[in-house]
Amino acid sequence: MKAKKTGRPREFDKNEALSAAMHVFWKQGYDGASMRDLTAAMNISGPSLYGVFGDKRQLFMEAIDFYANRKACKPLEVFETEPNIETAVQKFFFEVIEYSTESVSGAKGCFLSSCVATAAGELEGVEELLKRAILDTDERLARRFELEKARGVLPDNFPSKIRARLMFDLRQGLVFRARAGIEPKFLLADIESNVRIILG
Amino acid sequence: MKAKKTGRPREFDKNEALSAAMHVFWKQGYDGASMRDLTAAMNISGPSLYGVFGDKRQLFMEAIDFYANRKACKPLEVFETEPNIETAVQKFFFEVIEYSTESVSGAKGCFLSSCVATAAGELEGVEELLKRAILDTDERLARRFELEKARGVLPDNFPSKIRARLMFDLRQGLVFRARAGIEPKFLLADIESNVRIILG
DNA sequence: TTTGTTTTATATCAATTGATACAAAATGTT
DNA sequence: AACATTTTGTATCAATTGATATAAAACAAA
């Protein structure tokens, strides 16, 4: 698959560098993240960055793709693997709160909503990537609901697509509040009512 | 109230300038909006801007205050004045979709979520302003529900606060989707189900 | 008119921005 | 060994950034 290349071998892992870059963007925004901030966090030199990623915009686009397609967002993963649907919805929200409030990397909220959404206003091509990420997520969520309908757990008239969008939008509210510094305990308090709204 | 001042009179309206600045921030983000972008849109010179607002950060903070406290956000206004509660909720979402998708100023989405939320990650004092704006909105929404309970329109056990947060979070989902370029017709399609979820 | 005060306009500052030129270093190929 | 290719590190570029110095302009008070 990966052709052995000639020339001096790269001394860093591309995905690790991408992840580091994503967290800088996540915390500081696209314009707020300088190339020096980025190279420092990625632990590579300027020319190395440009050599691999092209320029700042392309690095950003790859970071979005990394987040949306490669990283395997944990809330979604949990939602798809937890056997019981009610628990799955619970855990989904729990994981959302977990990752949007942990300030280990200093980046609160959600990469898509706190960073990519802002950049969508001025950076060519970003809006389309964001739109695709949203619609894909809607569909992944709906797919699980459909599965539960087929298994007879959810009623036949369960509106999977509407509830999937609802679930995603509620997530949006959570990460927004997290970004604003509202404490996790307040966010956790609404999980149960959210679950009832989505499944009920 | 406003003492007559000596010296050369100001040649521009502060609120108009603030509104213009807000729309630039809205579209381009805090870091993406240069002082030159701002002065051009506000139609004032650099030194005038600094003379009145101090610096870029203070201008931004005033823009947030302008949006949250002075501007009288139209969706909220409509929600509070429409007599019928069901229609009020409908119109609230309709207005949200209206202002977040109209690209007259080129700024889609919501100022708070597409711009302020990003800046909250790095600009001192912004997170607190954002938090206050969210909690205040929660309360304004809940107040209307409480009013309807007192009037006997909503049942006594109606969970006003929870539904207020739910309503605000659904709004968050809408403006996020709007920012991503999802067409208004798709957003409008979910209004009815949103209304039923909030009041039902 | 004179004085004091505030705003305006021009011009420009030092610092930071995204991005490169260049040569040395490290590999595969011949 | 000699060559081609790719990456790395240093040093630096022109352009843009947020912010000012300066003096003329426009007002009120004396």
Side-chain angles (χ1 to χ4, degrees):
Chain A
M1 184 63 74
K2 182 184 285 184
K4 205 187 279 184
K5 286 188 305 180
T6 172
R8 179 171 176 171
R10 189 175 299 152
E11 293 178 5
F12 62 93
D13 180 71
K14 188 174 174 181
N15 278 347
E16 275 182 31
L18 213 40
S19 175
M22 184 191 72
H23 280 93
V24 175
F25 282 132
W26 190 333
K27 183 182 178 196
Q28 304 176 225
Y30 177 79
D31 289 299
S34 73
M35 295 309 290
R36 280 160 182 80
D37 292 335
L38 291 164
T39 52
M42 299 162 83
N43 203 26
I44 62 177
S45 71
S48 290
L49 192 159
Y50 281 86
V52 176
F53 296 103
D55 60 12
K56 188 183 181 182
R57 179 177 153 276
Q58 291 177 64
L59 168 64
F60 186 61
M61 307 276 275
E62 282 218 46
I64 298 175
D65 178 66
F66 178 76
Y67 181 83
N69 297 120
R70 276 181 274 176
K71 187 193 157 193
C73 172
K74 198 173 176 194
L76 270 177
E77 218 180 324
V78 167
F79 177 67
E80 286 172 336
T81 55
E82 164 62 41
N84 181 275
I85 183 63
E86 187 172 339
T87 312
V89 177
Q90 273 171 2
K91 285 191 175 176
F92 173 84
F93 284 119
F94 184 81
E95 290 297 334
V96 166
I97 295 171
E98 190 83 355
Y99 92 34
S100 63
T101 57
E102 73 173 41
S103 46
V104 180
S105 67
K108 286 190 283 192
C110 164
F111 176 56
L112 289 184
S113 64
S114 301
C115 168
V116 179
T118 303
E122 44 171 0
L123 255 192
E124 187 76 17
V126 171
E127 182 180 299
E128 193 53 44
L129 281 185
L130 181 59
K131 186 176 175 180
R132 176 88 352 246
I134 293 173
L135 298 180
D136 285 352
T137 305
D138 283 345
E139 199 162 325
R140 281 180 71 176
L141 294 173
R143 197 172 300 137
R144 173 70 198 266
F145 289 138
E146 283 297 308
L147 203 73
E148 296 298 324
K149 281 168 73 173
R151 291 176 52 203
V153 177
L154 290 176
D156 283 341
N157 64 345
F158 188 85
S160 297
K161 291 192 172 184
I162 290 181
R163 297 297 167 89
R165 287 197 290 272
L166 175 64
M167 191 165 160
F168 188 73
D169 286 353
L170 288 181
R171 187 203 85 107
Q172 224 43 47
L174 283 177
V175 298
F176 182 55
R177 288 170 189 272
R179 184 76 175 184
I182 293 178
E183 294 171 48
K185 61 178 176 183
F186 294 117
L187 305 179
L188 292 166
D190 280 346
I191 287 189
E192 281 311 313
S193 85
N194 281 357
V195 172
R196 279 195 298 275
I197 284 168
I198 288 171
L199 294 180
Chain B
M1 183 62 74
K2 181 185 287 184
K4 203 188 279 183
K5 285 188 305 178
T6 171
R8 180 171 176 171
R10 189 175 299 151
E11 293 179 4
F12 62 94
D13 179 72
K14 188 175 174 181
N15 278 347
E16 275 182 31
L18 212 41
S19 175
M22 183 191 72
H23 280 93
V24 176
F25 283 131
W26 190 334
K27 183 182 178 195
Q28 303 175 228
Y30 177 79
D31 289 300
S34 73
M35 295 308 290
R36 278 160 183 80
D37 293 335
L38 290 164
T39 53
M42 298 162 84
N43 203 27
I44 62 177
S45 71
S48 290
L49 192 160
Y50 281 87
V52 176
F53 296 103
D55 60 11
K56 189 184 181 182
R57 179 177 153 277
Q58 291 178 62
L59 168 65
F60 186 61
M61 307 276 275
E62 282 218 45
I64 298 174
D65 178 66
F66 178 76
Y67 181 83
N69 298 120
R70 276 183 272 175
K71 188 194 156 191
C73 171
K74 199 174 177 193
L76 270 177
E77 219 180 324
V78 167
F79 177 66
E80 286 170 337
T81 56
E82 164 62 41
N84 181 276
I85 183 62
E86 187 172 337
T87 313
V89 177
Q90 273 172 2
K91 284 191 175 176
F92 172 84
F93 285 118
F94 184 80
E95 290 297 334
V96 166
I97 295 171
E98 190 82 354
Y99 92 35
S100 63
T101 57
E102 73 172 41
S103 46
V104 180
S105 67
K108 286 190 283 193
C110 164
F111 177 56
L112 290 184
S113 63
S114 301
C115 169
V116 179
T118 303
E122 45 170 359
L123 255 192
E124 188 75 17
V126 171
E127 182 180 297
E128 193 52 44
L129 281 184
L130 181 58
K131 186 176 175 180
R132 177 91 347 250
I134 293 173
L135 298 180
D136 285 352
T137 304
D138 282 346
E139 200 164 324
R140 280 181 73 177
L141 294 173
R143 198 173 299 137
R144 173 69 197 266
F145 289 138
E146 284 297 308
L147 203 74
E148 296 297 325
K149 280 168 74 174
R151 291 176 53 202
V153 176
L154 289 176
D156 282 341
N157 64 345
F158 187 85
S160 297
K161 291 191 172 185
I162 291 181
R163 297 298 167 88
R165 288 196 290 271
L166 175 64
M167 191 166 161
F168 189 72
D169 287 353
L170 288 181
R171 186 204 85 107
Q172 225 43 48
L174 283 176
V175 298
F176 182 56
R177 288 170 188 274
R179 183 75 175 184
I182 293 178
E183 294 171 48
K185 64 177 175 183
F186 294 118
L187 305 180
L188 291 167
D190 281 346
I191 286 189
E192 282 311 314
S193 86
N194 282 357
V195 172
R196 278 194 299 274
I197 284 168
I198 288 172
L199 294 180

